[in-house]
Amino acid sequence: MEGGGKAGYSYGGHHHHQDAKLLKNLSRVEPRRFGLGLVAGFLIVTCAYFSTAKFDAIHIAMISSPAKNAAGFMNASSDGSNQQQLDLDRDAMSREGSKAQVLDRDDDDKISSLGPDLGHNASVVEGKKKDETFAKDSGDASVSASTDEALAKDDDAIVGAVLPPLSSEEPTNSTQDSVLEDEELKVQETAPVATNPSPEKSSNNGSSPSVVPSDPATLPVQQIPPTPEAKDPTAQQIPAVPEAKVPPVQQIPAFPVVKTDSEAAPRRKEWKPLCDLWSNRRIDWCELDGDVRVDGANGTVSLVAPPGPADERTFRAESWHIKPYPRKADPNAMRHVRVLTVQSLPATAASAAAPACTERHDVPGLVFSDRGYTGNYFHAYTDVILPLFLTARQYSGEVKLLVSDFQMWWLGKFLPVFKAVSNYDLINLDDDRRVHCFRHVQVGLTCHADFSIDPSRAPNGYTMVDFTRFMRATYRLPRDAPFPASGEHQPRRPWRPRLLVIARARTRRFVNADEIVRGAERAGFEVVVSEGEHEVAPFAELANTCDAMVGVHGAGLTNMVFLPTGGVVIQVVPLGGLEFVAGYFRGPSRDMGLRYLEYRITPEESTLIDQYPRDHPIFTDPDGVKSKGWNSLKEAYLDKQDVRLDMKRFRPILKKAIAHLRKNSSNNTTLN
């Protein structure tokens, strides 16, 4: 019993001794260290909890095809170990995403070397959170699509200022760019699919620029952004793993929608009629691009369709009858102009209807007629020479001229002009038995109005000033401005400008030419009188030595094209209400940079006063004479009338002319 009591005592005393020792030890622990220990322990427990928990809130968007994605999800749902591995890899991806954002801020040069769009896309990820790249399980596809659309709009808004776009297709705007357009389309068709990050033309069709990852050869073209495929099916579920050799920054880009083959394909040129018979009141004209065959002997210009089935959206069989001369409303002018057939032929009918090529040309061809009224000096310019400049000058000589109704005498007269616009010999369509093949042909020349150019519609914005410069250069004329040539002897008296008086041999003559010469000399001019001759060059040289010209309405005034810019043209308008025909020179002279002055004679200055009494309808009712038709007007006022100028009445016109020239000469001398 004693022993038991001792034992009991001994046990109780030992336990009490141990408790006392523990309290003593705890009392030695500092409170600060104890608090830090508790916090550390809490953090360790929390980390352990989150490392073993399973969350479904975040997953990486699948990038493989839908069939493969379905298989991947079935394997994941049937295998718990795979799910655990997926969670671990997601955590690794989150850490890699953080690294990628650091690289995005620190290594801009590396990002730009990986692709032109990645710099912008990385900034989008940083500013808009990661739901631009990742999507929740509920609504995965819809969120991904909306994200791509937002990124596409953002790219379009700044593509011109930040990023060089990779590819585009540009819609056509005008038929005049059809040859460039075709060249652009050829370039687009042969270009690789955006494997080079070098900039190309931006898109105008509202779609986002194409983005090409580092290895496009392994990517399928589809709406879901592609990534490289792996051989292991399970690896496809998490395409951007940390062990990948690709730099981490490339593993979380926000990819815009990649264009499919149908979207990236260049837009085909839509069909339009070969010929235009409505927009121009002066001429019918046609424009053909492709396999064009000109058979002069048979008078046909044929466009042959490319091989394969015909597509009415781009090609249709047509046939037109064209007279390529710019007086289509005048039956007299068009009476002797040859009719040409302009047609388009399907490939199946081309072998029978279109002859084989015997001559192939790598430059464009222009088809026109030199008949009509070209025997008249004014009509030679307004109907052929000026339209030829307007149509052919843009090719800088690399164009072939095919002439219908070939008149050798007329072509020889203006041969310097034809040599100036074309580096090749003229082709006589009437007698040429060859079949000429081109890639581009225009039938009928471009023209706007009589002896006039509309710069807003002209190639390269040509003006009448450009035309006069061209004519002076063609005939190698030295004077471009009306002032004394440098080094020329200057007398003490004021400079005397030179006046050309155009004399006519048959009708509308100056019957007092000697008096006109004396009056002009008293006004301060040096005067030259000339009628002109068949050859253009000698009269062009004479006109260019003068500063002003005066003449009765007629073709001789056309030589104003050789006057220096800033010169003066004085048109004397005969009796008979002919102010409307004076407009053929009134507007064009001003467009050429010349000062235009108009003098309308009185009945006393017309020789008609010698043929009819003063109360004759030819004086009192010119509108009645004109109402009977052009022939009646021409016979009464153009063929039977000469002019006798009243020099007292005409002298103010001469003074205005010389004052303008001296002022212009003074300004030019100051500038030079």
Side-chain angles (χ1 to χ4, degrees), residues 196-247:
N196 191 342
S198 61
E200 297 178 9
K201 291 192 174 183
S202 61
S203 174
N204 290 333
N205 60 7
S207 60
S208 61
S210 299
V211 177
V212 181
S214 59
D215 188 12
T218 63
L219 302 179
V221 180
Q222 55 186 2
Q223 294 296 329
I224 300 176
T227 56
E229 294 185 3
K231 295 182 179 180
D232 186 2
T234 60
Q236 286 183 337
Q237 301 171 16
I238 309 174
V241 293
E243 291 79 12
K245 297 181 180 180
V246 182

Side-chain angles (χ1 to χ4, degrees), residues 339-667:
V339 177
L340 300 178
T341 300
V342 179
Q343 57 188 354
S344 57
L345 303 171
T348 54
S351 58
C357 299
T358 59
E359 298 286 336
R360 293 188 179 273
H361 309 283
D362 56 359
V363 298
L366 299 180
V367 179
F368 64 95
S369 172
D370 67 345
R371 193 59 63 92
Y373 292 147
T374 54
N376 177 279
Y377 193 68
F378 170 77
H379 283 281
Y381 280 84
T382 190
D383 293 350
V384 177
I385 303 301
L386 179 56
L388 185 63
F389 163 81
L390 194 58
T391 311
R393 185 63 173 170
Q394 60 184 312
Y395 297 112
S396 301
E398 290 303 304
V399 61
K400 292 211 169 187
L401 308 180
L402 299 90
V403 185
S404 180
D405 308 309
F406 198 91
Q407 300 181 98
M408 191 63 226
W409 70 268
W410 185 86
L411 296 169
K413 180 176 182 178
F414 294 99
L415 191 59
V417 175
F418 296 114
K419 288 185 176 180
V421 297
S422 175
N423 299 330
Y424 306 93
D425 294 335
L426 298 171
I427 297 176
N428 182 356
L429 277 186
D430 301 334
D431 297 334
D432 196 334
R433 301 297 172 183
R434 297 172 296 177
V435 177
H436 299 272
C437 294
F438 299 86
R439 298 302 300 172
H440 176 81
V441 169
Q442 180 170 327
V443 181
L445 301 176
T446 301
C447 56
H448 299 155
D450 280 312
F451 209 32
S452 181
I453 293 176
D454 179 359
S456 65
R457 295 189 290 155
N460 300 325
Y462 290 138
T463 66
M464 289 298 289
V465 173
D466 295 321
F467 177 63
T468 59
R469 289 173 180 165
F470 164 76
M471 293 302 298
R472 290 195 296 266
T474 296
Y475 288 94
R476 300 180 180 179
L477 306 178
R479 299 181 72 230
D480 289 329
F483 59 91
S486 59
E488 185 179 286
H489 173 67
Q490 298 294 321
R492 293 181 180 178
R493 61 184 180 180
W495 169 59
R496 296 175 65 86
R498 203 173 194 203
L499 174 67
L500 173 61
V501 178
I502 299 176
R504 296 177 60 90
R506 294 182 297 276
T507 63
R508 282 161 281 151
R509 299 174 300 156
F510 285 126
V511 296
N512 61 335
D514 293 340
E515 186 181 359
I516 294 171
V517 170
R518 289 192 299 268
E521 288 176 343
R522 284 194 295 268
F525 280 103
E526 177 186 344
V527 183
V528 179
V529 181
S530 178
E531 180 185 352
E533 50 189 282
H534 176 76
E535 294 297 328
V536 177
F539 198 80
E541 293 171 1
L542 175 63
N544 188 248
T545 65
C546 298
D547 308 290
M549 68 168 54
V550 58
V552 181
H553 171 80
L557 288 174
T558 309
N559 289 292
M560 67 174 69
V561 298
F562 303 116
L563 283 178
T565 303
V568 177
V569 174
I570 305 172
Q571 179 174 202
V572 177
V573 182
L575 200 65
L578 298 177
E579 291 79 8
F580 75 97
V581 297
Y584 288 123
F585 300 109
R586 185 186 299 122
S589 64
R590 293 167 178 166
D591 292 341
M592 295 177 192
L594 303 173
R595 173 69 186 276
Y596 175 81
L597 298 173
E598 189 172 291
Y599 181 78
R600 301 176 185 179
I601 70 171
T602 64
E604 287 71 27
E605 294 175 286
S606 172
T607 59
L608 293 175
I609 200 71
D610 302 328
Q611 305 172 44
Y612 302 96
R614 189 67 175 79
D615 59 353
H616 193 280
I618 207 168
F619 298 109
T620 61
D621 189 19
D623 291 338
V625 176
K626 288 188 290 185
S627 66
K628 296 178 181 179
W630 170 257
N631 290 333
S632 174
L633 180 146
K634 180 175 180 294
E635 180 182 356
Y637 298 116
L638 298 179
D639 295 344
K640 294 182 178 181
Q641 180 176 201
D642 294 327
V643 175
R644 185 186 298 110
L645 287 181
D646 180 350
M647 291 308 297
K648 290 183 180 180
R649 187 170 178 265
F650 186 65
R651 187 174 292 115
I653 296 293
L654 293 175
K655 289 184 177 180
K656 284 184 179 180
I658 202 165
H660 168 78
L661 290 170
R662 285 176 175 169
K663 180 180 179 181
N664 198 26
S665 173
S666 176
N667 293 337

